[in-house]
Amino acid sequence: MPVDTGTGDLVNATIRQVVRVSVAGSAVRLRLSNEGGVDVLAIGAMHVGLAGPDGSVLPGTDHIVTFAGLPGTNIPAGAPLLSDPIMLPVKALDRLAISLYAPGRLPVRNVRALWQYVAGPSGDSGAMPVLSKVRLVNAPVILTQVEVAPTQPTSVVVALGDSITEGYGSTNNAFRGWTDRLAERLAARPGRQRWAVLNAGIGGNRLLGYGAGPNALARFDRDVLSVPGVKAVILLEGINDIGRSFSPRGASDPVTADALIAADKQIIERAHEQGIRVIGATLTPYKNAGYASEQGEAVRQALNNWIRSSGAFDGVIDFASSVADKTDPLAIASVFNDGDKLHPNDAGYKAMADAADLQVITGM
């Protein structure tokens, strides 16, 4: 499939995003976002159906998505939008193909983008099982959440983080990030109580500073507290604050371990007010990454030591140890790295997910 690495805007195009739900349900509802936009975003039409392994829509599963009964809508600048419920039964780990037709101009430059299937400029082709003349484009994220009406009692764990939580460096559209692997482990767990995993990772995100969108403290209410059924959050944030602060390519506003710890404490307090448990995750090694430095490494170690030993969290996942090189724990093991010395590969993300004690996450 052709990969489009250009920066030109999308016009009169259909974008198909393949997502995976982590729990079974009788219906779904889509959350769209124009929260980073400064203009009204026109949605000409949307479709959703069960997806096959190649991203095509399985026969007989295509559904038209409506908004207040209408097939299209406009999303105001800075706003989210919920669709009408869609009576589409799903099983745990089912894949959905969600197609959005944007009749106007859609800027490719966006605070958040993912590799998605794009057809056009050729009008609305969302109802087609297989998109024609499709290419893979790092397109803006408009679909931000899939809500499922669960068939069993269900709790939600939100993974709050940056590109490592988003799954950067794993195989595109193959669901091999650590949150995907964690969802598989939770889905296989016996018992009636089910756990859904919501990936709230944003590439480039920071705990304190602005980086590819609002920092974790600024987006915490939107991306964690407002999620229906949330009972726990896994916090993996701070490596971009550290890296950007001490980067040999141009340091800016050096951050301290005390400042990052204070931010973590704020998140814990705000979550506990709503009865949500917080699982602290240690920052993975980054020696020899593009923005690595000795000063930054000292901050990373101080933060990780506090996460492991402070008792401030309701539980801890030691992601750092799970992917570290056994002969040089300051570096990520070569078998777990995609080449940039920072982001894990498929095997690295699996090792991270396997390091999580499910009882620590669920509290039971």
Side-chain angles (χ1 to χ4, degrees):
M1 178 181 299
V3 176
D4 187 345
T5 58
T7 58
D9 293 347
L10 302 177
V11 181
N12 197 26
T14 297
I15 303 170
R16 178 166 291 173
Q17 185 175 348
V18 179
V19 302
R20 192 172 72 170
V21 297
S22 49
V23 293
S26 57
V28 299
R29 184 168 66 166
L30 310 181
R31 182 188 188 276
L32 310 182
S33 173
N34 190 24
E35 286 156 294
V38 295
D39 298 308
V40 172
L41 175 61
I43 307 297
M46 284 195 74
H47 290 256
V48 59
L50 297 178
D54 60 353
S56 63
V57 180
L58 296 181
T61 68
D62 179 67
H63 288 66
I64 295 174
V65 179
T66 59
F67 304 88
L70 301 174
T73 189
N74 291 322
I75 309 178
L81 187 73
L82 293 174
S83 75
D84 298 332
I86 304 144
M87 302 310 295
L88 176 62
V90 293
K91 302 187 298 295
L93 307 182
D94 268 351
R95 301 183 184 196
L96 300 179
I98 300 171
S99 305
L100 180 150
Y101 168 53
R105 184 174 296 275
L106 188 62
V108 169
R109 290 185 178 87
N110 194 281
V111 295
R112 189 180 182 197
L114 292 174
W115 290 102
Q116 301 174 69
Y117 304 104
V118 174
S122 56
D124 180 15
S125 53
M128 296 176 61
V130 179
L131 296 177
S132 62
K133 298 182 180 179
V134 68
R135 63 197 190 279
L136 201 58
V137 178
N138 197 28
V141 173
I142 298 173
L143 172 75
T144 58
Q145 189 170 298
V146 177
E147 296 181 3
V148 176
T151 53
Q152 291 181 272
T154 300
S155 298
V156 177
V157 55
V158 176
L160 184 67
D162 48 45
S163 56
I164 294 176
T165 294
E166 189 179 58
Y168 182 90
S170 64
T171 302
N172 287 328
N173 296 313
F175 304 101
R176 294 178 182 173
W178 72 261
T179 61
D180 303 302
R181 298 298 194 178
L182 178 62
E184 292 167 3
R185 292 188 62 204
L186 287 168
R189 191 168 178 261
R192 271 187 55 78
Q193 182 69 30
R194 313 315 300 160
W195 280 80
V197 179
L198 191 151
N199 186 332
I202 298 178
N205 198 233
R206 302 186 200 179
L207 187 57
L208 293 171
Y210 186 94
N215 61 64
L217 287 171
R219 67 187 181 96
F220 188 71
D221 286 17
R222 180 194 71 188
D223 292 349
V224 178
L225 298 186
S226 69
V227 175
V230 60
K231 300 298 182 185
V233 57
I234 301 172
L235 178 63
L236 178 61
E237 283 271 20
I239 196 64
N240 286 320
D241 297 79
I242 294 170
R244 300 299 178 194
S245 292
F246 301 101
S247 174
R249 299 175 181 176
S252 61
D253 299 324
V255 71
T256 65
D258 286 344
L260 296 175
I261 289 169
D264 279 1
K265 288 180 177 178
Q266 278 291 304
I267 286 175
I268 293 168
E269 289 293 330
R270 288 163 65 184
H272 283 177
E273 284 182 343
Q274 305 300 321
I276 298 169
R277 303 171 63 252
V278 185
I279 314 302
T282 55
L283 304 188
T284 51
Y286 82 131
K287 181 179 179 180
N288 295 324
Y291 58 22
S293 66
E294 291 185 3
Q295 302 99 311
E297 179 58 36
V299 174
R300 186 185 74 92
Q301 290 195 44
L303 178 62
N304 280 353
N305 288 338
W306 177 80
I307 290 171
R308 293 186 183 106
S309 63
S310 68
F313 292 96
D314 300 289
V316 173
I317 304 173
D318 196 357
F319 283 153
S321 297
S322 72
V323 295
D325 188 321
K326 295 187 185 304
T327 62
D328 184 3
L330 302 187
I332 186 170
S334 58
V335 295
F336 292 148
N337 180 239
D338 69 349
D340 67 358
K341 313 300 182 184
L342 175 65
H343 296 94
N345 56 19
D346 291 356
Y349 284 126
K350 183 179 185 301
M352 290 175 65
D354 289 346
D357 185 335
L358 299 187
Q359 290 187 339
V360 168
I361 295 171
T362 64
M364 61 185 72

